[in-house]
Amino acid sequence: MSSPATAPPPPTSLRRIVAASLIGTTVEWYDFFLYGSAAALVFNKLFFPGSDPLVGTLLSFLTYAVGFAARPIGALVFGHYGDRLGRKKLLVLSLLMMGGATFAIGLLPTHATVGTAAPVLLTVLRLVQGFALGGEWGGAVLLVSEHGDPRRRGFWASWPQTGAPAGQLLATGVLSVMTALLSDAAFASWGWRVPFLLSGVLVIVGLWIRLSVDESPVFKAALANAEVRRAEGAAVEKLPLVAVLTHHWRDVLIAMGARMAENISYYVITAFVLVYATSHTGLSQQTALNAVLIASALHFAVIPAWGALSDRIGRRPVYLLGAVGVAAWAFPFFALVDSRQFGLLLLAVSVGLVFHGAMYAPQAAFFAEMFATRMRYSGASIGAQFSSVAAGAPAPLIATALLADFDSPTPIALYVIAAALLTLLAVGVARETRSRDLAAMDGTATAGALRAAGAGAPEDGTSSAVPY
């Protein structure tokens, strides 16, 4: 029996919660991916002129990687306060920070105007983006995971994950339209700014929807339980970070390993492919952008399907399938891109993203189910974001450097395969989490705590919500 603290909300309420998480993550990923696409297409010329084209791209991707370096810091800060104050407040703050930084990038002067101050300002704003995104992901997926029907948690929690391809779709789509309508000179002069300035409108929409949802009932019950424990003279709670490293260090390591293939393959498939297709195979920017655009739409569609499958057969089998898939597809991916045919390029990116979706879809529920409520935001965020420093951050840099050194895709394919092996090892030793109750993972809550949270007590007299 589902306790009142964990009973699924009415369908209308759940759909609103999913929409709030999805739209917020879409806006944030739009901002983040817009930078990555612009780094591959124009930032090397506007902010790092005078360099060899490939070296300029490397420098541009270096500022791209800086955003990843800030994500663990964002995970620590947002995770701590998200576990203390609630998921909703921190999600609103992350949206404002990300949108503000992206809008400001659209107003930046270039190197031709202010010299070296231009890349410095660009790097600072990229740090703000990374810091905000480091706190966004954990809160968004937890808000849905802790509200949703436990029997369909994988499906519902996968919807915030579709914010990544939706943001990629939106960012690539806007850039594709701009490059199609404008000459290269006009796009480099002012056209690239338009997608960044549009972020201001998207943030207003996302903020309006995000403010309309309620805090997670599981978190409210856990917070009330902590207050009751303090009133009864119980020991003071450990800081969420300390509690995570004390009770869930193994799960943090598993989450970090699980993200290696997912993170690296994604940025090779969607960001580096723009460099590889244009500089190595001679395809136009428009052709490469269109392939990523269409494939991102397919990626969006398959993620909920993979999430639903994880509810039926478990998180681990679906995740392992995705890791095996990206490893097996690494060499065919580059062979198809080398064909210089749009249809085969589209096939390469699409199949790669379908396999990626098998890892990304169950990831939200999988990570949420690893951690107890009052350390869940910290645990999920730390596990997800600390790995991004070693995975997604250097992936375009490493791939570009390998291409420059070897003039061949073979080392890059081996790089993706090595990441997949790490993920197979991590997920292979993990425990299946599909049947876990988020509200009663590791202890019992008093009836008083449940009443204080507005949840009531379970009808069968069992406990329902616990912070630790």
Side-chain angles (χ1 to χ4, degrees):
M1 180 185 299
S2 294
S3 70
T6 59
T12 302
S13 174
L14 183 56
R15 284 194 294 268
R16 186 170 66 249
I17 292 160
V18 170
S21 293
L22 171 57
I23 291 176
T25 53
T26 297
V27 172
E28 301 234 21
W29 282 113
Y30 167 81
D31 294 345
F32 206 75
F33 288 138
L34 183 60
Y35 189 104
S37 297
L41 299 175
V42 295
F43 282 176
N44 57 333
K45 305 178 185 71
L46 297 176
F47 293 91
F48 305 97
S51 303
D52 173 84
L54 206 54
V55 174
T57 301
L58 275 169
L59 293 173
S60 183
F61 274 141
L62 184 59
T63 63
Y64 178 70
V66 163
F68 285 85
R71 284 165 69 170
I73 302 173
L76 290 172
V77 174
F78 279 84
H80 172 82
Y81 288 104
D83 283 328
R84 293 289 184 178
L85 305 177
R87 287 58 166 124
K88 177 180 172 179
K89 295 182 180 69
L90 275 297
L91 285 174
V92 170
L93 179 60
S94 70
L95 184 63
L96 289 173
M97 291 183 66
M98 175 68 86
T102 305
F103 187 84
I105 289 174
L107 300 175
L108 275 183
T110 63
H111 189 279
T113 304
V114 297
T116 56
V120 171
L121 291 172
L122 182 67
T123 301
V124 170
L125 292 174
R126 182 60 175 173
L127 283 168
V128 175
Q129 280 191 323
F131 180 81
L133 191 59
E136 161 68 22
W137 181 84
V141 300
L142 294 189
L143 197 64
V144 176
S145 296
E146 292 178 345
H147 269 98
D149 181 352
R151 295 167 298 181
R152 304 189 67 197
R153 185 181 297 128
F155 171 74
W156 289 116
S158 71
W159 279 101
Q161 300 291 77
T162 64
Q168 177 77 70
L169 185 65
L170 194 57
T172 307
V174 172
L175 281 173
S176 182
V177 169
M178 297 303 296
T179 56
L181 294 178
L182 300 176
S183 65
D184 289 345
F187 182 76
S189 175
W190 60 270
W192 68 272
R193 298 181 183 275
V194 174
F196 287 91
L197 296 176
L198 283 175
S199 177
V201 178
L202 297 175
V203 167
I204 293 172
V205 175
L207 192 61
W208 173 67
I209 296 177
R210 189 159 275 186
L211 286 171
S212 69
V213 301
D214 195 15
E215 182 57 79
S216 153
V218 173
F219 173 80
K220 288 194 293 185
L223 184 61
N225 178 67
E227 292 172 354
V228 169
R229 286 167 58 86
R230 281 195 294 271
E232 294 173 348
V236 177
E237 286 184 351
K238 296 178 181 178
L239 293 176
L241 173 61
V242 175
V244 166
L245 297 180
T246 301
H247 300 290
H248 290 285
W249 61 268
R250 181 179 182 274
D251 294 317
V252 169
L253 292 177
I254 288 173
M256 292 175 66
R259 288 217 74 194
M260 296 303 290
E262 177 267 308
N263 226 213
I264 289 172
S265 66
Y266 187 77
Y267 291 105
V268 168
I269 293 168
T270 61
F272 173 72
V273 74
L274 298 177
V275 176
Y276 185 83
T278 55
S279 67
H280 189 74
T281 68
L283 292 169
S284 68
Q285 290 181 357
Q286 189 66 46
T287 299
L289 283 169
N290 287 343
V292 175
L293 181 69
I294 297 171
S296 293
L298 176 62
H299 195 210
F300 180 94
V302 300
I303 285 177
W306 286 122
L309 183 62
S310 78
D311 286 326
R312 296 180 63 87
I313 66 174
R315 319 298 183 213
R316 292 174 66 254
V318 177
Y319 212 115
L320 291 169
L321 174 62
V324 170
V326 296
W329 192 244
F331 280 105
F333 174 83
F334 287 106
L336 292 171
V337 178
D338 284 339
S339 71
R340 296 179 173 84
Q341 297 180 34
F342 175 75
L344 295 180
L345 170 63
L346 176 60
L347 178 64
V349 179
S350 297
V351 174
L353 288 181
V354 167
F355 284 128
H356 173 269
M359 293 182 286
Y360 200 54
Q363 188 180 96
F366 188 32
F367 288 8
E369 290 159 350
M370 290 181 180
F371 303 96
T373 301
R374 291 278 281 157
M375 63 183 87
R376 186 169 293 133
Y377 202 145
S378 295
S381 296
I382 291 169
Q385 303 306 336
F386 270 66
S387 60
S388 68
V389 176
L397 275 170
I398 291 173
T400 303
L402 290 172
L403 181 63
D405 288 344
F406 296 95
D407 195 33
S408 167
T410 298
I412 306 168
L414 293 174
Y415 170 50
V416 173
I417 292 171
L421 292 176
L422 286 174
T423 292
L424 287 170
L425 176 63
V427 178
V429 301
R431 301 182 184 93
E432 179 56 58
T433 62
R434 176 170 55 113
S435 61
R436 289 182 179 174
D437 182 351
L438 294 186
M441 282 178 57
D442 50 355
T444 59
T446 64
L450 296 173
R451 286 193 295 271
E459 294 178 7
D460 59 0
T462 61
S463 64
S464 177
V466 186
Y468 292 96

